[in-house]
Amino acid sequence: MVRLLRPLLRGTTYTRLLHLWVPMLMESLWLFIDPERPWVPALVLVPLGLLPAVRRGEGVQARLLLTPDAPESGISEAPAASWRDRLRTVAWLELRWVLGWVTCFTTVFSLVTAVELAGCAWGHAPSGMPLLDRLSPAPAWALLSPLPLLALYGAVAGLGALVTACARRLLGPSAAERLAALEERTERLLERNRIARELHDSIGHALTVAVVQAGAARAAGDPEFTDRALGAIEETGRAALADLERVLGVLREAERPASARPTLVDADRLLESARASGATVDADVSGPVAAVPGPVSREGYRILQESLTNVLRHAGAVPVRVRVAVTDDRLLLRVRNALPEPIPGPGRGSGLRGIRERAALLGGTAHTGPERDEWLVRVELPLG
């Protein structure tokens, strides 16, 4: 019983009733002008619904009155962008007009019926309303007088649900709007994944270098080596803080240019950081690296950073061979390192997934895995 009465306590029930009554304002004005042709406003709605802006106005009104508390109403607020949208708007206006008439008649008839039954129960004669003018005064009518009010309650709740469902159907987003919304959500997800990769690469590299340097300095017991290790940790930490500030700026929607991200031109600092950690790095860079397009160069830098980070994290201070070659149409990047005995360390393969994801997003290929007693990272990225 309590569940059936819940709509009485919801504001949505009454805002939907108001939405159903709004078309009758224009209809009531017209009835003062020409009561013999009440259907004329329905004809006016046809050209009116063909205006693109009308769809937006109806969508805003429907979301405000029919679904005020719904985060996803399923009702569009965009203007009509095609003839299909315009015809759907015309159908909506006509349907709303019909439902307004039904609501008006149901409300007035139910209230008058309840009053007539109560009057007959008190001994008053019927006022001549059709279907009720034959009633004879009797106290028993008092038992039936609440029924019209219950019928009105059910009609209001039912018509409100019906008009809301029709609004979602006729004023809902078109196929083009749904596609645009899907593309927007996809772009947001891609941006979140890119930021996650940026944080993983920059902060992960800095922490790995700091851990390796600190461990090597403690084991060496050499003050001069310790000073160099602390300097490398400081430099890597500063670079990581700069990367972190840039990523946080993106999260705060600050207008930071993409060119502020490091590129392959800045690869020397990665190589020096790995050398300072004790690894022997043999680097060979050929071709016009500075001419590599920005997106490819930035992703290539991150791939090289993640590759060196994985070497330091999982293999330690071992010899590393780095080859970066730029041809007419491709960027070739190879990182090889020896495979010593397994050493303890964290890692679940997220770095390798990041390398493959970065390469795939640019239409390239990535191979990671053992090859002839070495671990090989081989990436090819198209330049165009």
Side-chain angles (χ1 to χ4, degrees), residues 206 232-242:
I233 292 174
E234 181 182 7
E235 180 181 354
T236 305
R238 291 183 185 277
L241 287 175

mmCIF file of all heavy atoms in Angstrom, residues 206 232-242:
data_model
loop_
_atom_site.group_PDB
_atom_site.id
_atom_site.type_symbol
_atom_site.label_atom_id
_atom_site.label_comp_id
_atom_site.label_asym_id
_atom_site.label_seq_id
_atom_site.Cartn_x
_atom_site.Cartn_y
_atom_site.Cartn_z
ATOM 1 N N ALA A 206 61.767 7.409 -12.482
ATOM 2 C CA ALA A 206 62.474 8.138 -11.429
ATOM 3 C C ALA A 206 62.673 7.282 -10.185
ATOM 4 O O ALA A 206 63.763 7.260 -9.596
ATOM 5 C CB ALA A 206 61.704 9.418 -11.085
ATOM 6 N N ALA A 232 72.688 12.090 -9.415
ATOM 7 C CA ALA A 232 71.797 11.473 -10.401
ATOM 8 C C ALA A 232 70.382 11.355 -9.867
ATOM 9 O O ALA A 232 69.402 11.576 -10.587
ATOM 10 C CB ALA A 232 72.334 10.096 -10.798
ATOM 11 N N ILE A 233 70.267 11.003 -8.582
ATOM 12 C CA ILE A 233 68.933 10.907 -7.974
ATOM 13 C C ILE A 233 68.257 12.276 -7.967
ATOM 14 O O ILE A 233 67.069 12.406 -8.278
ATOM 15 C CB ILE A 233 69.044 10.338 -6.542
ATOM 16 C CG1 ILE A 233 69.480 8.869 -6.580
ATOM 17 C CG2 ILE A 233 67.713 10.481 -5.807
ATOM 18 C CD1 ILE A 233 69.752 8.277 -5.220
ATOM 19 N N GLU A 234 69.015 13.321 -7.640
ATOM 20 C CA GLU A 234 68.446 14.671 -7.622
ATOM 21 C C GLU A 234 67.975 15.092 -9.011
ATOM 22 O O GLU A 234 66.863 15.619 -9.177
ATOM 23 C CB GLU A 234 69.478 15.661 -7.102
ATOM 24 C CG GLU A 234 68.957 17.101 -7.038
ATOM 25 C CD GLU A 234 70.014 18.075 -6.557
ATOM 26 O OE1 GLU A 234 71.183 17.649 -6.396
ATOM 27 O OE2 GLU A 234 69.680 19.247 -6.363
ATOM 28 N N GLU A 235 68.806 14.860 -10.025
ATOM 29 C CA GLU A 235 68.442 15.262 -11.385
ATOM 30 C C GLU A 235 67.217 14.493 -11.878
ATOM 31 O O GLU A 235 66.293 15.075 -12.463
ATOM 32 C CB GLU A 235 69.617 15.019 -12.327
ATOM 33 C CG GLU A 235 69.329 15.411 -13.760
ATOM 34 C CD GLU A 235 70.502 15.131 -14.678
ATOM 35 O OE1 GLU A 235 71.579 14.732 -14.169
ATOM 36 O OE2 GLU A 235 70.340 15.284 -15.895
ATOM 37 N N THR A 236 67.200 13.182 -11.612
ATOM 38 C CA THR A 236 66.056 12.374 -12.044
ATOM 39 C C THR A 236 64.785 12.787 -11.298
ATOM 40 O O THR A 236 63.698 12.835 -11.877
ATOM 41 C CB THR A 236 66.342 10.888 -11.811
ATOM 42 O OG1 THR A 236 67.555 10.527 -12.460
ATOM 43 C CG2 THR A 236 65.210 10.028 -12.347
ATOM 44 N N GLY A 237 64.937 13.104 -10.012
ATOM 45 C CA GLY A 237 63.781 13.538 -9.236
ATOM 46 C C GLY A 237 63.216 14.852 -9.739
ATOM 47 O O GLY A 237 61.991 15.033 -9.797
ATOM 48 N N ARG A 238 64.093 15.782 -10.124
ATOM 49 C CA ARG A 238 63.614 17.059 -10.654
ATOM 50 C C ARG A 238 62.856 16.849 -11.960
ATOM 51 O O ARG A 238 61.813 17.471 -12.208
ATOM 52 C CB ARG A 238 64.786 18.010 -10.879
ATOM 53 C CG ARG A 238 65.443 18.504 -9.604
ATOM 54 C CD ARG A 238 66.562 19.494 -9.905
ATOM 55 N NE ARG A 238 67.267 19.872 -8.702
ATOM 56 C CZ ARG A 238 66.870 20.819 -7.856
ATOM 57 N NH1 ARG A 238 65.751 21.480 -8.114
ATOM 58 N NH2 ARG A 238 67.577 21.104 -6.786
ATOM 59 N N ALA A 239 63.392 15.984 -12.822
ATOM 60 C CA ALA A 239 62.703 15.705 -14.088
ATOM 61 C C ALA A 239 61.341 15.060 -13.839
ATOM 62 O O ALA A 239 60.353 15.366 -14.514
ATOM 63 C CB ALA A 239 63.568 14.810 -14.962
ATOM 64 N N ALA A 240 61.297 14.150 -12.840
ATOM 65 C CA ALA A 240 60.021 13.499 -12.527
ATOM 66 C C ALA A 240 59.017 14.491 -11.972
ATOM 67 O O ALA A 240 57.820 14.425 -12.276
ATOM 68 C CB ALA A 240 60.250 12.367 -11.525
ATOM 69 N N LEU A 241 59.480 15.433 -11.151
ATOM 70 C CA LEU A 241 58.574 16.448 -10.622
ATOM 71 C C LEU A 241 58.025 17.335 -11.736
ATOM 72 O O LEU A 241 56.854 17.734 -11.714
ATOM 73 C CB LEU A 241 59.305 17.308 -9.584
ATOM 74 C CG LEU A 241 59.580 16.641 -8.238
ATOM 75 C CD1 LEU A 241 60.411 17.564 -7.348
ATOM 76 C CD2 LEU A 241 58.279 16.275 -7.533
ATOM 77 N N ALA A 242 58.885 17.649 -12.723
ATOM 78 C CA ALA A 242 58.400 18.441 -13.855
ATOM 79 C C ALA A 242 57.339 17.672 -14.640
ATOM 80 O O ALA A 242 56.319 18.236 -15.051
ATOM 81 C CB ALA A 242 59.574 18.812 -14.762
#
